């Protein structure tokens, strides 16, 4: 026999109140006496009742859905962020719709899906934000949109990110003080709509000493194999090894270390960024920058819940985590 679904009316009758009083017990900010609310909630618990969120959304005009627009899913740091963010949203009674953007997928189609789901906000965790987002913002100026862990270049899109410019400047000063003079840089995919300022920070300090990168490469995606192959190919024709290989993030640094170690070049210092779990492995012992991930996510959720619209862009400070890779010969 099919289990009969408990309704709000069943709860109201069990609590001895009207259906409308029972409804107010489940509506945040609704007018209801503490004693009546307690009776309704006890009745709901006793009967195993759960509010119908879809029905409630018709009344409140809110779906409690947040669209998470992501790409570069091969980057382990993105998985870490998604895990923390989705858990925090659920704790606030909100659910996530993950909208994956890839080279094969249409960005426009992704944004259309966000509109069809009638999400209450959009969080950008990717490298790209094309013109579709501008159209969406103009069409729905009341929709909270925010970019995380990158500086958004699109007008009207606030961002919360790490102060990577200051971070990489401080590391460059330290490396130069250690006598490092030959620097190389491995970048990730380029974007004109959101930026990281890590490379800019390194270059600005090198310029103060009359230095620049001996070599610079970029890969199309944030994954280990691309970094490994790029560095391996460069090592085949390298005459004098660099002192330091600076990498835009940890997964690129992991691939670079694999290539260097395979060629027996363990004297090159390697620097990452993100402090992913694998960075602490004794195999890599990667020196990296630990982003203030939880602080940024908490601020992002506070922004989404507040309903505020407008510039809330902030930069947050993390900290360098020193391991063997920045001074492998010590």
């Amino acid at each position: 026999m099919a289990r009969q679904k408990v309704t709000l009316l069943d709860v109201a009758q069990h609590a001895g109140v009207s259906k409308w009083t029972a409804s107010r017990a489940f509506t945040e900010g609704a007018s209801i006496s503490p004693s009546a609310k307690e009776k309704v909630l006890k009745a709901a618990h006793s009967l195993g009742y759960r509010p119908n969120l879809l029905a409630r959304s018709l009344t409140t005009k809110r779906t409690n859905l947040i669209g998470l627009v992501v790409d570069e899913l091969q980057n382990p740091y993105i998985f870490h962020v998604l895990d923390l963010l989705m858990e925090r949203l659920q704790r606030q009674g909100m659910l996530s719709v993950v909208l994956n953007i890839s080279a094969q997928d249409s960005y426009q189609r992704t944004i259309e899906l966000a509109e069809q789901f009638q999400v209450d906000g959009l969080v950008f965790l990717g490298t790209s934000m094309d013109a579709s987002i501008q159209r969406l913002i103009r069409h729905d100026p009341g929709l909270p949109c925010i970019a995380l862990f990158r500086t958004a270049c699109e007008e009207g899109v606030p961002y919360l990110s790490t102060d990577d410019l200051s971070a990489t400047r401080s590391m460059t000063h330290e490396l130069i003080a250690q006598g490092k003079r030959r620097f190389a840089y491995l970048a990730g995919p380029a974007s004109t709509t959101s930026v990281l300022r890590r490379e800019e920070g390194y270059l600005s300090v090198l310029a103060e000493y009359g230095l620049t990168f001996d070599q610079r490469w970029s890969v199309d995606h944030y994954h280990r194999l691309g970094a490994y192959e790029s560095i391996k190919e460069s090592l085949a024709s390298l005459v004098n090894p660099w002192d330091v290989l600076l990498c835009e993030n940890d997964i690129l640094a992991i691939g670079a270390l694999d290539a260097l170690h395979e060629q027996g070049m363990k004297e090159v210092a390697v620097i990452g960024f993100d402090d992913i779990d694998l960075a602490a492995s004794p195999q890599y012992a990667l020196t990296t920058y630990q982003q203030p991930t939880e602080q940024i996510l908490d601020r992002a959720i506070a922004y989404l819940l507040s309903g505020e619209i407008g510039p809330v862009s902030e930069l947050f400070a993390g900290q360098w985590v020193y391991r063997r890779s920045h001074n492998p010969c010590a």
Side-chain angles (χ1 to χ4, degrees):
M1 180 182 295
R3 179 176 178 270
Q4 189 172 355
K5 186 176 181 180
V6 178
T7 67
L8 183 62
L9 181 59
D10 295 330
V11 173
Q13 291 174 346
H14 193 82
V17 300
S18 71
K19 180 179 178 180
W20 308 118
T21 299
S23 176
R24 287 196 292 272
F26 298 101
T27 304
E28 187 175 352
S31 176
I32 183 174
S33 70
S35 60
K37 184 172 184 177
E38 183 179 3
K39 285 197 297 183
V40 172
L41 295 180
K42 281 185 177 179
H45 179 74
S46 175
L47 296 173
Y49 171 76
R50 295 290 184 273
N52 187 327
L53 296 180
L54 290 176
R56 184 186 298 178
S57 71
L58 297 175
T59 302
T60 63
K61 307 302 181 184
R62 289 184 59 84
T63 61
N64 288 322
L65 293 175
I66 301 297
L68 309 181
V69 184
V70 300
D71 61 5
E72 294 302 323
L73 281 170
Q74 296 185 76
N75 180 359
Y77 184 65
I78 290 295
F79 278 115
H80 173 61
V81 169
L82 280 174
D83 180 50
L84 293 176
L85 179 55
M86 294 172 77
E87 187 274 331
R88 279 165 164 73
L89 288 170
Q90 288 174 200
R91 201 187 303 163
Q92 296 294 334
M94 294 183 285
L95 293 177
S96 309
V97 178
V98 177
L99 304 167
N100 182 18
I101 301 167
S102 67
Q104 293 77 35
D105 240 347
S106 163
Y107 200 110
Q108 176 64 36
R109 176 57 182 154
T110 301
I111 296 303
E112 287 173 359
L113 280 173
E115 292 180 283
Q116 290 167 8
F117 277 115
Q118 296 185 332
V119 296
D120 291 333
L122 283 175
V123 177
F124 293 91
L125 294 168
T127 62
S128 177
M129 290 183 288
D130 78 356
S132 304
I133 185 56
Q134 280 296 330
R135 289 193 291 272
L136 177 59
I137 292 171
R138 287 194 295 269
H139 180 260
D140 188 359
L143 179 67
C145 299
I146 193 161
L148 301 185
F149 303 102
R150 297 180 76 91
T151 302
C153 301
E154 295 289 337
E155 183 180 353
V157 180
Y159 60 84
L160 302 171
S161 186
T162 300
D163 187 358
D164 46 7
L165 178 70
S166 296
T168 53
R169 281 184 56 84
S170 70
M171 175 55 74
T172 316
H173 280 297
E174 190 166 341
L175 292 167
I176 289 176
Q178 294 172 4
K180 312 294 187 185
R181 290 297 182 272
R182 300 196 64 213
F183 291 79
Y185 190 77
L186 179 59
S191 172
T192 59
T193 57
S194 67
V195 296
L196 300 173
R197 303 191 68 189
R198 299 165 195 178
E199 182 176 1
E200 180 184 349
Y202 287 127
L203 280 172
S204 65
V205 175
L206 290 178
E208 294 172 14
Y209 292 85
L211 301 172
T212 189
F213 296 145
D214 283 20
Q215 288 184 269
R216 183 205 185 271
W217 318 262
S218 62
V219 292
D220 293 334
H221 299 285
Y222 289 119
H223 61 81
R224 186 200 66 84
L225 184 58
Y228 165 81
E229 291 178 341
S230 182
I231 297 303
K232 183 178 180 180
E233 182 180 351
S234 297
L235 292 177
S237 58
L238 186 66
V239 177
N240 297 315
W242 328 287
D243 294 329
V244 185
L245 174 56
L246 307 165
C247 299
E248 193 165 271
N249 72 1
D250 283 353
I251 198 60
L252 298 185
I254 296 296
L257 281 167
D258 284 339
L260 287 164
H261 291 175
E262 185 178 81
Q263 299 299 314
M265 299 179 65
K266 297 186 177 182
E267 72 279 8
V268 178
V270 177
I271 307 293
F273 206 101
D274 286 343
D275 197 26
I276 63 174
D277 185 61
L278 194 57
S281 166
Q283 179 178 350
Y284 300 107
L286 179 63
T287 294
T288 182
Y289 195 76
Q290 185 180 84
Q291 299 203 63
T293 309
E294 298 195 12
Q295 186 181 0
I296 290 174
L297 295 182
D298 287 341
R299 176 67 184 94
I301 290 176
Y303 165 75
L304 292 170
L305 290 175
S306 71
E308 62 180 293
I309 303 296
V312 295
S313 300
E314 295 179 45
L315 295 176
F316 298 79
Q319 60 182 353
W320 283 102
V321 179
Y322 293 92
R323 301 188 180 100
R324 188 179 64 249
S325 75
H326 81 285
N327 197 10
C329 298

